[in-house]
Amino acid sequence: MLTWTVHLEGGPKRVNHAAVAIGARIFSFGGYCNGEDYETTRPIDVHMLNTVTLRWTLLPLPTEEEAQNTPYQRYGHTAVEYEDMAYLWGGRNDSVGACKILFRFSGSTLKWDKPDVTGPIPEARDGHSACIISGRMYIFAGYEEFTDRFSNDVNYLDLKTFAWVPVRICGKPARWRDFHTSTAIGTTMYVFGGRCDVGGDQFTNHEIYCSKVMTFDTLTNSWARPPQPSPNSPVGRRSHSAFEYKGNIYIFGGYNGRMEVHFNDLYCLEPSTLQWTRLKIPGNYPSPRRRQCACVVGSKVYFFGGTSPRVPKEKTETSTVQSDADLIDRSDLFILDFEPSLKTLASLVIIEHNLDRECLPHDLRWELAAMSTDNTISRLHTTNG
């Protein structure tokens, strides 16, 4: 029974960050929050979540020697996991601009390096997507720094040879866009959402939010699109989360700039039919938001961070916002469990009906506290490690 279970406050306050799961740990790289200094170039921050203890740890800053191989602080970048390594590419900050250097982070040593690459490196950008297919990191679209335009090109990096390859597309390519998602199923990349523009590759401030799913076959290097959206398609959006679980694709949240609406709905896409199902999930779910992260570990999905409207305070499936001043950056963590245990389900019943907890075992009382909406668990607070 798919259920929202844990809700905890007090983690790192991060927006437009990137994260990967390596084993039972989640590593969150960079991002921003309002009020931080982005005129000073500094090493990217790395927060590590132990998914067993639900404790965040801020990793130490690199030494002066290590800093040469460490990416600078940024947002709008991507990170993917391959063979217990995280590969970070792209992104920008307000001082240096966008980047096109490849960085690699070891899940065992917790250190960075810069692999030597060959081939034509894609233009520096942010708001692109990345996914792993057949040992290759595929990069699609984003907003290019040097050409000052939206992209719709496809490139991949072979993670065995570290050679960049620009992909020659067969047929009509997908529309130019940024802040979309790409999810890999087998040898196919499924692209949903993002911000497009009536000006094509040029930004004219006349945005388009399409609800069609685009598929890219990496065997034939060709795009395909359905003739029309599924009747139950989610509203077009950008800055949402997408993840794969047991062969299906799920999306959560995001923002539609034309409607000025944030979302916290959850949809499931069946890849073989491209049919969407809107899911109604019990439990304590996140507020409407965008630019959060979602990582799958086992049967659980960990959602954290992002930005959402300050008002209305009530959690609804959509919330409107007029300007960035109306947004609040989040430091919370939510867990979506595809296979909750009987103990977890019993705990939720106790919370829902406000039953007496004092007679329960200590470990169950802690689990109940983690699921409650009015508790800030001190063990979640970020510590220096």
Side-chain angles (χ1 to χ4, degrees):
M1 178 183 177
L2 183 58
T3 306
W4 290 103
T5 55
V6 171
H7 167 210
L8 295 175
E9 298 284 347
K13 185 179 290 186
R14 278 289 168 260
V15 179
N16 215 353
H17 43 313
V20 301
I22 301 178
R25 297 176 298 176
I26 292 173
F27 296 90
S28 175
F29 305 107
Y32 67 85
C33 71
N34 288 325
E36 286 190 343
D37 174 21
Y38 277 86
E39 295 302 321
T40 303
T41 302
R42 62 186 188 278
I44 197 168
D45 61 279
V46 181
H47 291 86
M48 181 178 68
L49 175 67
N50 183 319
T51 61
V52 177
T53 64
L54 298 183
R55 184 185 184 93
W56 284 104
T57 301
L58 175 62
L59 299 188
L61 290 174
T63 64
E64 185 174 346
E65 181 179 356
E66 293 170 342
Q68 300 177 12
N69 290 322
T70 303
Y72 58 77
Q73 181 72 344
R74 64 191 65 196
Y75 52 88
H77 49 295
T78 54
V80 296
E81 184 274 337
Y82 182 70
E83 295 185 343
D84 294 335
M85 296 281 189
Y87 291 88
L88 184 148
W89 192 81
R92 61 175 293 114
N93 72 13
D94 298 339
S95 176
V96 183
C99 179
K100 60 179 181 179
I101 299 172
L102 175 71
F103 293 91
R104 178 172 58 188
F105 179 83
S106 170
S108 56
T109 66
L110 308 184
K111 302 295 183 183
W112 291 98
D113 73 328
K114 291 188 291 187
D116 293 327
V117 300
T118 60
I121 302 173
E123 289 288 346
R125 67 193 67 192
D126 71 310
H128 55 288
S129 63
C131 63
I132 299 291
I133 297 177
S134 303
R136 299 168 175 176
M137 180 178 72
Y138 278 83
I139 300 292
F140 170 61
Y143 201 86
E144 296 181 359
E145 169 93 357
F146 180 73
T147 58
D148 194 24
R149 71 179 186 98
F150 290 105
S151 169
N152 70 341
D153 58 13
V154 179
N155 297 267
Y156 70 78
L157 177 72
D158 189 315
L159 293 176
K160 297 296 185 182
T161 64
F162 292 101
W164 280 105
V165 177
V167 179
R168 296 187 63 179
I169 303 301
C170 299
K172 185 178 179 179
R175 179 178 283 272
W176 305 266
R177 69 188 71 200
D178 65 358
F179 294 108
H180 53 286
T181 54
S182 296
T183 309
I185 303 289
T187 57
T188 301
M189 178 171 69
Y190 292 79
V191 173
F192 176 77
R195 175 180 59 177
C196 307
D197 196 284
V198 296
D201 63 341
Q202 301 298 314
F203 182 71
T204 67
N205 205 30
H206 293 86
E207 299 176 350
I208 298 173
Y209 291 88
C210 181
S211 60
K212 287 186 177 180
V213 177
M214 300 292 298
T215 62
F216 182 74
D217 186 334
T218 61
L219 297 180
T220 62
N221 291 338
S222 58
W223 286 101
R225 68 196 74 203
Q228 61 184 10
S230 163
N232 298 316
S233 295
V235 174
R237 63 194 67 194
R238 63 176 169 94
S239 306
H240 51 286
S241 297
F243 59 92
E244 178 270 339
Y245 185 76
K246 291 190 174 180
N248 287 332
I249 297 172
Y250 298 81
I251 71 158
F252 168 81
Y255 175 70
N256 184 300
R258 291 182 63 90
M259 300 169 59
E260 293 188 333
V261 169
H262 287 78
F263 303 95
N264 67 343
D265 45 9
L266 183 69
Y267 282 82
C268 174
L269 177 71
E270 208 289 311
S272 64
T273 62
L274 293 183
Q275 295 299 303
W276 289 99
T277 302
R278 185 173 179 174
L279 304 177
K280 295 289 187 179
I281 310 302
N284 183 26
Y285 52 93
S287 59
R289 63 187 63 200
R290 58 174 154 160
R291 295 181 174 176
Q292 68 282 341
C293 278
C295 290
V296 179
V297 178
S299 65
K300 298 181 176 67
V301 190
Y302 296 77
F303 297 82
F304 51 95
T307 190
S308 60
R310 293 179 182 272
V311 291
K313 294 182 179 180
E314 298 81 9
K315 287 187 298 183
T316 60
E317 292 189 346
T318 62
S319 286
T320 59
V321 62
Q322 300 302 317
S323 70
D324 287 348
D326 297 322
L327 297 172
I328 182 170
D329 298 339
R330 296 295 181 181
S331 61
D332 48 14
L333 169 72
F334 289 84
I335 297 179
L336 180 67
D337 197 338
F338 279 85
E339 302 175 15
S341 66
L342 288 175
K343 186 176 82 169
T344 296
L345 294 174
S347 301
L348 290 171
V349 171
I350 291 172
I351 292 172
E352 181 181 358
H353 296 282
N354 197 28
L355 301 179
D356 184 12
R357 310 179 189 184
E358 295 303 319
C359 60
L360 299 174
H362 177 75
D363 62 335
L364 185 52
R365 271 183 277 168
W366 188 90
E367 182 170 344
L368 287 169
M371 294 177 181
S372 299
T373 61
D374 57 350
N375 280 279
T376 300
I377 308 303
S378 60
R379 68 192 303 173
L380 183 69
H381 287 175
T382 301
T383 59
N384 293 315

